[in-house]
Amino acid sequence: MQLIDYIKLVDMKNKTELERAKLLCFYHYKETGELQFSIAKIIELMVKCGFNTPNSTRLKDKLTKGRDKILSPLKGSKGIFEFIPIIHQALEIELGTSWGDTVTIVSSSELIDEIKFCGKRNYLDRLIMQINHSYRFNCYDASAVLMRRLFEVVLVLSYQNMGIDDQIKDSSGSGYLMLDGIVRNSKNNQTLKLSRIKNEFDTFRKVGNFSAHNITYTASKKDIDDIKLNYRVMLEELYYKSGLLD
């Protein structure tokens, strides 16, 4: 879970200093698996969220003393604390299921327009959202590989929609050619009748190939940005060819 989403989920801005510390310790545990904390680490988490730097002595007293304490000293370690078990259990019951979502993809048209291209096929939607999510979080190799896959899928769908996918079947007749073979066929296919964007097809394929197969290559933001306009043009044309857009 993204920290900004967690802050909203627990309404952290309206919590007391003690509650903020407790909630941030739990967030840190859920994201890293670490159950031990120093006061310095807790202060670091609070500052990272944009809150004022608390007085370390006062914060330590609030966290470790009195009726509302949430941490206890870790035996054998100076200055390291751990959750009181009942506090940890209560937080798991209240908030633990928030990390149970393995389906939702956080994205918002960072690279590909979701309003225009999503809502046609569920598997295409998920590919597009994964591309946008990867781009948003600087995972450009992941974006490049997924962009190559989406390109291949919509190209095959175009052949299928026009009833000519037998032209790109492999020798067994049960599967399709590798993408380079499909691209070669598409460039001169008189039924498909692609625009000049077909001249960029090898670029889309190669960018994805580099990220997937080149041992020393890692994609950069510029590598993706350099092709994103032509990629959008290609996507729109193949969406029409595949019958996904009217």
Side-chain angles (χ1 to χ4, degrees):
M1 182 188 301
Q2 295 301 307
L3 182 55
I4 189 171
D5 297 325
Y6 182 71
I7 289 171
K8 292 178 182 177
L9 174 69
V10 299
D11 191 25
M12 197 175 296
K13 292 182 179 179
N14 293 316
K15 302 297 185 183
T16 65
E17 185 175 81
L18 176 62
E19 290 170 328
R20 288 173 181 173
K22 177 176 70 174
L23 290 166
L24 284 171
C25 284
F26 185 70
Y27 175 83
H28 184 72
Y29 155 68
K30 294 298 285 188
E31 292 293 312
T32 67
E34 297 176 7
L35 269 171
Q36 288 81 45
F37 311 91
S38 65
I39 299 302
K41 181 62 180 180
I42 296 171
I43 291 174
E44 178 189 328
L45 291 170
M46 296 177 78
V47 172
K48 185 178 180 180
C49 293
F51 301 122
N52 293 331
T53 304
N55 178 279
S56 59
T57 302
R58 184 183 69 235
L59 180 63
K60 178 182 175 182
D61 287 344
K62 287 182 177 180
L63 291 169
T64 62
K65 297 178 181 179
R67 185 179 60 185
D68 296 325
K69 65 181 180 181
I70 67 169
L71 300 178
S72 59
L74 181 65
K75 292 181 180 179
S77 299
K78 185 177 180 180
I80 302 297
F81 305 88
E82 61 183 350
F83 271 121
I84 295 171
I86 193 65
I87 299 295
H88 185 207
Q89 291 170 17
L91 286 167
E92 279 286 7
I93 292 170
E94 180 185 359
L95 297 169
T97 55
S98 300
W99 275 264
D101 183 357
T102 60
V103 176
T104 302
I105 301 168
V106 179
S107 65
S108 184
S109 299
E110 289 84 354
L111 186 62
I112 298 175
D113 185 350
E114 294 176 13
I115 294 176
K116 185 176 187 66
F117 294 108
C118 288
K120 314 302 179 184
R121 304 274 176 87
N122 183 61
Y123 61 89
L124 294 178
D125 293 354
R126 294 192 64 79
L127 279 177
I128 290 169
M129 288 188 287
Q130 287 183 74
I131 290 168
N132 286 335
H133 181 91
S134 300
Y135 181 85
R136 173 181 176 181
F137 291 103
N138 305 333
C139 300
Y140 302 118
D141 286 297
S143 292
V145 172
L146 288 166
M147 289 169 74
R148 181 194 183 281
R149 182 180 174 194
L150 179 61
F151 166 50
E152 182 173 15
V153 170
V154 293
L155 188 53
V156 170
L157 288 177
S158 298
Y159 275 86
Q160 290 177 346
N161 185 55
M162 294 187 171
I164 55 171
D165 59 312
D166 60 313
Q167 297 180 19
I168 54 170
K169 291 286 183 69
D170 60 22
S171 57
S172 70
S174 60
Y176 293 108
L177 298 171
M178 300 292 286
L179 181 56
D180 60 337
I182 300 174
V183 166
R184 282 197 301 271
N185 182 282
S186 70
K187 289 180 179 179
N188 298 306
N189 193 291
Q190 295 304 304
T191 303
L192 209 55
K193 292 183 180 178
L194 295 169
S195 70
R196 285 181 292 180
I197 196 61
K198 64 187 179 184
N199 297 325
E200 302 297 327
F201 281 10
D202 281 314
T203 300
F204 306 145
R205 181 178 60 82
K206 288 177 181 177
V207 170
N209 283 351
F210 286 147
S211 286
H213 304 300
N214 191 302
I215 294 174
T216 58
Y217 173 86
T218 55
S220 67
K221 183 176 186 296
K222 184 177 185 301
D223 294 323
I224 305 299
D225 289 346
D226 283 349
I227 67 170
K228 67 181 182 182
L229 178 58
N230 285 332
Y231 190 89
R232 183 201 178 283
V233 173
M234 171 277 298
L235 202 57
E236 185 165 4
E237 180 166 341
L238 292 184
Y239 258 56
Y240 279 112
K241 298 287 185 182
S242 60
L244 297 171
L245 289 176
D246 297 324

